[in-house]
């Protein structure tokens, strides 16, 4: 591509709306433009990067035996009612109505559509296993679309769905996808981890997320410093170590009520009593489809809502709004505690280990001191309810866990028969018995992967694309357009690079060298080749690797060193 002909509107200024580095750089490098909240156009450079990721995905999916299809984006409501997700998926689902007043949605995911397709196509075990995938635009009406392509409302996803005869076979399909994902993200040049994850709105029993490590990531990953245990903190567990607890002093029969004006936070209460937060407890009221419930965790820990939901066996769950705590339960927010409450208590497993504790008195302005589990309150519902943190013990080997931030770029799920049951997708087994198809589903955010690659690969001058996904592998800068020799040489090298299938941007613009250098750096081209009159006289082409800013000189009359340099760059990532 000739720079002079390319629509590559690079920006000098940092756009104010962009909070994270990848979003800023994608706008500045002229890769994307915003149309509306969470809805973006891909300009030529952005689309080239996206297509490179798609190509790697296609190659690895095909190699793993999956077949590409293209399913409709618009999906009838009836299918979503059949799976019971029409209501469950909530406000993220973009619902639309046609001229006949029939309801549809714009697909946020395609379990329903693919299961419907397959229930009409697959009759016999002989047609299995089957894995179909597509690369397509999804829509999810995210509450907080942000960070450009990272959390869009409209975005491009690769989604795949596998169908098998039983759990064991489905396990093999899952493993094949896990391996394919590992190859895909490795080939994209990313530093990532496959971590155990929660199944969320997609459902199913088992899942792994592929997380690109980056400080700006919205996800937190717990991983063991010794073994290979790694899990999203939403799901991560830790080893529980029981300690000997000092029993209450028999001379003191009951807790002491203490006036604690303006002590509505754990920090304020701990400061008031001169203790650390772990000598207090947090009491949080949740509402779920099963009713109200008070959850008790140590004062220095964060409650993990997913663990609470699992422990209760609830379909949905949310923290009860403070106004409703007061109005409907008559309890004072900021002074809650587990003593004498009429709703069920769900207690974190560490609470009985705390010994003497301080908690709210359920009376505005008062706390209780000298409270003991067992003597003053108890519950039969005890579970692991807290978010793990750095320094907790690995559930597998007992070593220390560390927490890193990351970006979820892929997610694979064992669905089991969740959708085949709802949509009655069956096949006949070898004995002629009708059985439910066992499914898996596998997603990759294509745009998010490009954004994540930038989060991991940039410097103060711009993007440093990994070679495999770089829109252009080579930037050829002609610094003396007026020199016929220089221009003729550049034109012939430009032609040769194209002939060899090496994606190249030839900067033939009538601009100062500084402008050309800046743009080549900003758009992240891995190798920059520069030629001007001086170099031409000396018989050298100046080569500069974007990563590490390594310069070297290549001979003008022999291109072999250039091809080996490019091969080296391709192999490095
Ligand atoms: P998240 O927790 O980030 O919302 P998710 O668990 O809802 O993701 P999945 O349903 O597993 O996502 O979708 C598969 C993949 O699609 C994700 O791993 C992610 O890469 C991508 N993806 C999901 N939501 C978005 C979005 N709003 N914008 C861009 N990519 C997305
Ligand atoms: Mg989501």
């Amino acid at each position: 591509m000739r720079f002079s002909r390319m629509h590559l509107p690079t920006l000098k200024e940092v756009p104010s709306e962009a909070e994270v580095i990848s979003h800023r750089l994608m706008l500045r490098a002229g890769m994307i433009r915003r149309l509306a909240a969470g809805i973006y156009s891909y300009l030529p450079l952005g689309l080239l990067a996206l297509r490179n990721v798609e190509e790697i995905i296609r190659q690895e999916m095909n190699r793993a035996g999956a077949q590409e299809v293209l399913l409709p984006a618009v999906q009838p409501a009836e299918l979503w009612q059949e799976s019971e997700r029409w209501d469950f998926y909530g406000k993220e689902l973009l619902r639309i109505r046609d001229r006949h007043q029939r309801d549809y949605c714009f697909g946020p995911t395609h379990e329903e559509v693919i299961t419907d397709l397959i229930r009409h196509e697959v009759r016999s075990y002989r047609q299995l296993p089957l894995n179909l995938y597509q690369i397509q635009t999804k829509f999810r009406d995210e509450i907080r679309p942000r960070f450009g392509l990272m959390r869009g409302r409209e975005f491009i996803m690769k989604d795949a769905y596998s169908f098998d005869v039983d759990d064991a076979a489905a396990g093999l399909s899952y493993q094949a996808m896990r391996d394919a994902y590992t190859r895909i993200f490795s080939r994209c040049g990313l530093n990532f981890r496959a971590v155990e994850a929660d199944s969320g709105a997609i459902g199913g029993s088992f899942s792994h997320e592929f997380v690109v490590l980056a400080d700006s990531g919205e996800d937190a990953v717990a991983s063991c410093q010794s073994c290979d245990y790694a899990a999203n903190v939403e799901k991560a567990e830790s080893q529980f170590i029981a300690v000997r607890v000092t029993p209450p002093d028999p001379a003191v029969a009951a807790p002491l009520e203490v006036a604690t004006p303006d002590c509505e936070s754990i920090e304020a209460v701990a400061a008031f009593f001169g203790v650390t937060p772990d000598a207090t407890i947090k009491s949080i009221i949740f509402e779920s489809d099963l009713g109200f419930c008070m959850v008790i965790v140590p004062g220095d820990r964060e409650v993990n809502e997913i663990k609470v939901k699992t422990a209760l066996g609830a379909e949905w769950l949310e923290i009860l709004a403070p106004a409703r705590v007061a109005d409907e339960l008559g309890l004072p927010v900021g002074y809650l505690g587990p003593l004498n409450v009429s709703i069920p208590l769900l207690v974190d497993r560490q609470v009985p280990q705390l010994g003497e504790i301080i908690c709210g008195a359920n009376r505005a302005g008062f706390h209780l001191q000298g409270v003991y589990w067992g003597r003053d309150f108890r519950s039969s519902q005890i579970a692991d309810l807290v978010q793990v943190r750095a320094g907790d013990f690995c559930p597998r080997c007992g070593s220390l866990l560390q927490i890193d931030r990351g970006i979820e770029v892929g997610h694979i799920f064992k669905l089991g028969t969740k959708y085949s049951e709802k949509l009655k997708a069956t096949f006949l087994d070898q004995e002629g018995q009708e059985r439910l198809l066992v499914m898996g589903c596998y997603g990759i955010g294509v745009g998010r992967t490009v954004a994540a690659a930038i989060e991991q690969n940039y410097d103060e001058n711009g993007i440093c694309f990994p070679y495999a996904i770089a829109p252009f592998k080579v930037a050829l800068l002609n610094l003396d357009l007026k020199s016929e020799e220089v221009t003729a040489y550049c034109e012939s090298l430009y032609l040769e690079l194209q002939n060899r299938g090496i994606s190249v941007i030839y900067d033939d613009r009538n601009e100062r060298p500084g402008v050309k250098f800046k743009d080549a750096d900003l758009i992240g081209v891995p190798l920059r080749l520069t030629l001007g009159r001086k170099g031409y006289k000396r018989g050298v082409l100046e080569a500069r690797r974007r990563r590490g800013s390594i310069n070297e000189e290549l001979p003008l009359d022999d291109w072999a060193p250039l091809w080996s340099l490019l091969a080296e760059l391709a192999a490095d990532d």
Side-chain angles (χ1 to χ4, degrees):
M1 188 72 213
R2 284 173 196 276
F3 209 135
S4 59
R5 303 298 318 139
M6 182 155 177
H7 182 63
L8 184 44
T10 56
L11 309 172
K12 277 201 202 70
E13 300 300 315
V14 180
S16 60
E17 84 235 43
E19 296 165 65
V20 294
I21 198 78
S22 57
H23 188 194
R24 270 183 244 148
L25 287 174
M26 287 175 101
L27 289 169
R28 281 193 56 210
M31 294 176 72
I32 56 168
R33 289 292 181 260
R34 179 181 180 276
L35 175 67
I39 303 181
Y40 287 84
S41 303
Y42 301 89
L43 301 189
L45 189 77
L47 193 60
L48 285 169
L50 203 78
R51 292 281 185 254
N52 287 342
V53 173
E54 288 180 3
E55 182 53 27
I56 292 172
I57 292 175
R58 283 201 172 88
Q59 287 175 6
E60 295 299 341
M61 291 303 291
N62 294 345
R63 176 164 140 182
Q67 299 167 62
E68 187 167 1
V69 292
L70 187 54
L71 304 170
V74 174
Q75 313 182 4
E78 289 78 29
L79 269 183
W80 283 72
Q81 281 150 357
E82 237 184 293
S83 72
E84 293 174 23
R85 283 209 293 185
W86 185 252
D87 296 323
F88 184 69
Y89 216 91
K91 290 185 178 160
E92 264 194 25
L93 194 62
L94 179 68
R95 292 151 215 260
I96 38 193
R97 198 162 268 178
D98 72 4
R99 63 168 76 193
H100 307 293
Q101 304 305 311
R102 284 193 203 105
D103 286 320
Y104 291 82
C105 66
F106 193 104
T109 177
H110 278 70
E111 286 79 13
E112 282 79 359
V113 172
I114 195 92
T115 310
D116 176 64
L117 180 78
I118 293 303
R119 70 178 164 182
H120 295 116
E121 306 284 326
V122 170
R123 294 265 169 264
S124 154
Y125 71 94
R126 285 191 207 89
Q127 293 163 278
L128 301 169
L130 193 60
N131 185 332
L132 301 177
Y133 76 96
Q134 61 172 343
I135 296 179
Q136 194 214 29
T137 299
K138 308 280 189 227
F139 195 97
R140 295 182 183 179
D141 205 351
E142 302 271 356
I143 321 179
R144 288 192 65 199
R146 56 190 180 148
F147 304 158
L149 299 192
M150 201 80 90
R151 183 166 298 281
R153 293 198 297 163
E154 186 181 298
F155 59 97
I156 296 174
M157 195 202 284
K158 186 286 300 179
D159 47 328
Y161 305 88
S162 65
F163 298 87
D164 280 285
V165 292
D166 56 24
D167 277 341
L172 296 178
S173 296
Y174 187 87
Q175 189 57 41
M177 284 298 104
R178 208 180 147 171
D179 295 344
Y181 274 41
T182 302
R183 284 196 299 268
I184 288 167
F185 296 120
S186 304
R187 283 185 60 189
C188 287
L190 297 168
N191 178 12
F192 67 95
R193 298 249 192 297
V195 310
E196 292 177 19
D198 179 64
S199 304
I202 307 286
S205 53
F206 194 71
S207 85
H208 280 91
E209 283 170 358
F210 287 75
V211 178
V212 167
L213 300 179
D215 291 337
S216 61
E218 292 182 284
D219 285 276
V221 171
S223 55
C224 178
Q225 297 181 348
S226 301
C227 74
D228 61 1
Y229 177 76
N232 190 310
V233 290
E234 289 182 345
K235 159 100 184 178
E237 303 191 351
S238 60
Q239 209 171 91
F240 179 59
I241 295 177
V243 294
R244 188 187 288 272
V245 187
T246 320
D249 179 354
V252 182
L256 180 69
E257 197 176 60
V258 181
T260 52
D262 300 325
C263 288
E264 297 192 5
S265 69
I266 292 287
E267 291 68 36
V269 173
F272 183 91
F273 287 97
V275 296
T276 46
D278 59 350
T280 71
I281 51 173
K282 275 184 195 165
S283 311
I284 307 141
I285 298 180
F286 282 90
E287 182 181 24
S288 76
D289 51 311
L290 306 170
F292 296 124
C293 169
M294 183 185 273
V295 171
I296 312 292
V297 299
D300 63 333
R301 307 294 308 224
E302 295 305 320
V303 66
N304 178 324
E305 290 190 22
I306 291 169
K307 288 184 181 175
V308 172
K309 189 168 155 230
T310 311
L312 290 173
E315 286 271 325
W316 60 267
L317 174 94
E318 59 191 27
I319 291 182
L320 191 63
R324 292 185 57 206
V325 172
D327 292 352
E328 294 173 40
L329 297 171
L331 291 171
V333 177
Y335 298 93
L336 299 178
L339 275 68
N340 307 318
V341 283
S342 55
I343 57 175
L345 289 183
L346 174 61
V347 178
D348 178 64
R349 62 184 180 175
Q350 292 173 35
V351 169
Q353 304 265 304
L354 295 176
E356 182 184 350
I357 45 186
I358 292 164
C359 65
N362 291 326
R363 182 177 165 205
F366 289 87
H367 276 82
L368 297 177
Q369 195 178 19
V371 174
Y372 283 87
W373 161 262
R375 184 191 72 182
D376 303 318
F377 71 104
R378 57 172 67 244
S379 165
S380 57
Q381 280 189 288
I382 301 178
D384 171 18
L385 302 174
V386 301
Q387 197 122 310
V388 298
R389 66 183 177 199
D392 281 353
F393 302 113
C394 171
R396 294 230 184 105
C397 76
S399 297
L400 296 185
L401 292 175
Q402 69 180 48
I403 309 284
D404 295 294
R405 297 212 68 81
I407 301 160
E408 173 200 325
V409 287
H411 201 165
I412 59 178
F413 301 82
K414 271 188 191 170
L415 292 173
T417 54
K418 176 175 166 166
Y419 293 92
S420 46
E421 220 171 300
K422 291 257 161 49
L423 274 74
K424 299 185 190 61
T426 61
F427 67 99
L428 295 178
D429 70 9
Q430 244 162 325
E431 278 79 46
Q433 288 280 318
E434 191 174 14
R435 288 171 56 178
L436 290 170
L437 287 158
V438 184
M439 292 174 57
C441 77
Y442 317 95
I444 293 180
V446 184
R448 192 184 278 185
T449 300
V450 174
I454 296 173
E455 286 296 327
Q456 250 181 14
N457 298 281
Y458 69 92
D459 63 14
E460 65 281 6
N461 298 320
I463 305 170
C464 308
F465 272 119
Y467 191 86
I469 67 173
F472 296 110
K473 317 300 181 199
V474 176
L476 175 58
L477 276 50
N478 180 343
L479 299 190
D480 271 307
L481 283 160
K482 294 203 186 79
S483 153
E484 267 174 40
E485 299 150 329
V486 169
T487 301
Y489 186 91
C490 286
E491 291 284 346
S492 69
L493 180 53
Y494 175 47
L495 197 66
E496 180 62 16
L497 284 160
Q498 286 174 292
N499 287 342
R500 287 179 174 252
I502 295 163
S503 157
V504 48
I505 182 155
Y506 172 34
D507 199 340
D508 58 344
R509 291 175 303 167
N510 191 13
E511 289 283 1
R512 283 178 293 113
V515 172
K516 298 188 179 188
F517 292 140
K518 277 215 170 64
D519 279 342
D521 276 357
L522 177 60
I523 67 173
V525 189
L527 185 66
R528 186 179 86 192
L529 300 174
T530 307
L531 189 66
R533 271 196 196 109
K534 274 190 223 148
Y536 189 81
K537 277 206 187 101
R538 287 176 49 231
V540 294
L541 187 63
E542 199 181 293
R544 185 170 187 268
R545 299 181 204 205
R546 177 71 182 84
R547 281 226 193 124
S549 308
I550 303 165
N551 293 312
E552 58 197 284
E553 291 185 337
L554 301 174
L556 284 188
D557 54 6
D558 178 13
W559 284 337
L562 173 58
W563 311 140
S564 28
L565 177 53
L566 280 166
E568 194 188 314
L569 286 174
D572 270 357
D573 282 332

